[in-house]
């Protein structure tokens, strides 16, 4: 496994397992166990995914020592206040059955995230959270946070895949010492992602799938990836990306696929912001 190191010295695996859209207890637990058995040591959940209990139970059942597994979870907007964030973080620890969380994120830079962040800073100083970060920050928002917070985010988890590359965001994170992490590294399968001719053709040279090429591309530009699957063969396939290297020419060709915007969530659409505020977990 390859790692990136946060500015506080904590190391995060370059490849982890995402568990969004697996609300069913048994399915989430089975998929997580498959991932842990396949070698994944980073699990990415959230209060909003409604599966923290299943993830915690899978970790326990795996028998893998706690300090070998990196667990990320996220708090939702409804809990964004100083006390609310502390209470919600404690609830996550209880559901996960863990005494500390490796990385806690605020899921959106929305609502009273400034005070919620102060709550996270307190838990970080108390040692309950080993690292803290943000999700869904576009570069101008990230700069504002980094210039405001006492403790800068260690990571920024945003949508990043060949169709939405966010190079300015990656460059901004690098400038501020914030590690970039990609959610939806397959664009959630949109645009017939897994049959994309460019990714498939590049993959043929290395005996790899379009999915593996997309993961490798992000890893090679220093971005942590957290693909999701409930199928054991795909879980294994997605982990098998450390035995080949894309050439500069391949990287350049993938660069040309960028559409420059998301097709999953539009943070610039007022209706989307209203809807995100209305979601409660
Ligand atoms: N911070 C945020 O706001 C945010 C937002 C979204 C996601 N996330 C995190 O990022 C993780 C990944 O993103 P995501 O789940 O939205 O989407 P994704 O990983 O881009 O795509 C998942 C989709 O790809 C399919 N798939 C996976 N591997 C495949 C393969 N090798 N070949 C063909 N199909 C494959 C999966 O189907 P099967 O499951 O049927 O195999 C699923 O439909 C999430 O699970 C979550 O942890 C965070």
């Amino acid at each position: 496994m390859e790692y990136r190191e946060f500015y506080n010295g904590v190391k995060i695996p370059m490849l982890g397992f995402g568990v969004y859209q697996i609300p069913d207890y048994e399915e989430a637990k089975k998929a997580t166990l498959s991932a842990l058995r396949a070698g994944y040591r980073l699990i990415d959940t959230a209060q909003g995914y409604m599966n923290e209990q299943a993830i915690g139970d899978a970790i326990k059942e795996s028998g893998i020592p706690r300090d070998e597994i990196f667990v990320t979870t996220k708090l939702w907007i409804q809990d964004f206040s100083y006390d609310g964030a502390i209470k919600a973080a404690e609830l996550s620890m209880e559901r996960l059955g863990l005494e500390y969380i490796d990385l806690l994120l605020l899921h959106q830079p929305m609502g009273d995230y400034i005070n919620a962040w102060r709550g996270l800073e307190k838990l970080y100083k108390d040692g309950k959270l080993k690292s803290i970060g943000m999700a869904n920050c576009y570069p101008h928002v990230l700069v504002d946070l980094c210039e405001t917070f006492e403790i800068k985010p260690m990571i920024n988890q945003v949508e990043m895949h060949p169709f939405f590359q966010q190079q300015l965001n990656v460059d901004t994170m690098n400038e501020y010492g914030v590690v970039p992490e990609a959610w939806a590294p397959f664009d959630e399968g949109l645009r017939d992602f897994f049959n994309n001719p460019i990714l498939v053709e590049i993959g043929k040279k290395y005996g790899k799938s379009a999915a593996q090429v997309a993961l490798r591309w992000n890893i090679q530009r220093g971005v942590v990836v957290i693909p999701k699957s409930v199928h054991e063969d795909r879980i294994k396939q997605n982990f098998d990306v450390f035995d080949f290297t894309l050439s500069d020419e391949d990287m350049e060709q993938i660069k040309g696929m960028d559409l420059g915007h998301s097709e999953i969530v539009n943070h610039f659409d007022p209706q989307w912001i209203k809807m995100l505020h209305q979601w409660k977990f």
Side-chain angles (χ1 to χ4, degrees):
M1 176 53 64
E2 295 171 15
Y3 296 84
R4 281 231 38 191
E5 192 173 326
F6 296 149
Y7 69 81
N8 66 347
V10 169
K11 285 185 178 164
I12 182 169
M14 288 301 295
L15 174 73
F17 186 61
V19 295
Y20 179 39
Q21 290 174 327
I22 328 178
D24 179 76
Y25 175 88
E26 288 304 334
E27 196 178 24
K29 187 174 164 197
K30 185 167 166 252
T32 305
L33 265 171
S34 292
L36 290 168
R37 286 178 185 141
Y40 292 75
R41 290 295 179 268
L42 158 59
I43 311 291
D44 184 90
T45 184
Q47 292 206 346
Y49 302 170
M50 314 292 282
N51 56 18
E52 287 180 313
Q53 177 99 42
I55 307 313
D57 289 351
I59 290 171
K60 220 172 294 155
E61 199 169 312
S62 75
I64 298 166
R66 169 69 185 95
D67 62 0
E68 289 178 20
I69 302 181
F70 188 108
V71 180
T72 304
T73 192
K74 317 180 192 83
L75 307 187
W76 193 250
I77 308 161
Q78 70 204 4
D79 295 311
F80 287 5
S81 65
Y82 180 82
D83 290 335
I86 291 176
K87 229 165 111 187
E90 283 164 353
L91 186 64
S92 274
M93 283 182 247
E94 195 183 310
R95 287 200 194 116
L96 287 159
L98 301 176
E99 287 183 3
Y100 67 90
I101 290 172
D102 299 276
L103 174 63
L104 191 74
L105 308 182
L106 296 183
H107 213 139
Q108 303 285 346
M110 290 170 47
D112 190 3
Y113 61 88
I114 302 275
N115 275 312
W117 186 260
R118 293 193 176 122
L120 262 51
E121 287 176 336
K122 161 146 191 1
L123 292 173
Y124 173 71
K125 288 175 188 168
D126 290 348
K128 290 281 184 188
L129 307 175
K130 298 298 173 197
S131 38
I132 53 180
M134 290 297 306
N136 293 303
C137 292
Y138 284 108
H140 63 290
V141 177
L142 184 75
V143 170
D144 184 43
L145 300 183
C146 288
E147 299 287 350
T148 306
F149 292 163
E150 180 195 338
I151 300 174
K152 254 186 337 185
M154 281 120 212
I155 205 163
N156 182 25
Q157 182 186 107
V158 298
E159 179 184 346
M160 277 187 279
H161 46 75
F163 292 124
F164 187 31
Q165 307 192 1
Q166 298 222 52
Q167 193 55 49
L168 177 62
N169 210 345
V170 174
D171 294 343
T172 308
M173 290 185 234
N174 287 336
E175 184 187 335
Y176 278 87
V178 177
V179 169
E181 184 176 47
W183 65 256
F186 305 142
D187 197 9
E188 297 189 347
L190 293 175
R191 290 189 167 259
D192 202 12
F193 192 91
F194 303 101
N195 295 310
N196 177 271
I198 294 173
L199 299 176
V200 168
E201 275 311 304
I202 291 174
K204 275 185 193 160
K205 293 197 283 182
Y206 307 99
K208 297 288 178 183
S209 66
Q212 290 169 315
V213 169
L215 295 175
R216 188 71 213 170
W217 166 78
N218 252 328
I219 290 170
Q220 278 183 222
R221 56 182 202 140
V223 175
V224 174
V225 286
I226 43 169
K228 170 262 176 185
S229 176
V230 292
H231 294 98
E232 197 171 350
D233 54 337
R234 293 175 179 172
I235 289 172
K236 286 183 180 159
Q237 181 197 126
N238 296 343
F239 193 72
D240 184 18
V241 294
F242 294 100
D243 61 350
F244 74 113
T245 304
L246 297 172
S247 67
D248 292 346
E249 196 188 31
D250 300 330
M251 295 294 285
E252 210 47 42
Q253 218 186 336
I254 296 171
K255 209 175 186 179
M257 292 172 64
D258 194 13
L259 300 172
H261 63 89
S262 171
E263 291 179 307
I264 298 175
V265 52
N266 184 354
H267 284 97
F268 301 98
D269 176 353
Q271 292 309 320
W272 259 101
I273 300 304
K274 196 170 164 185
M275 191 167 72
L276 292 172
H277 267 281
Q278 282 164 353
W279 287 354
K280 307 266 182 244
F281 302 104

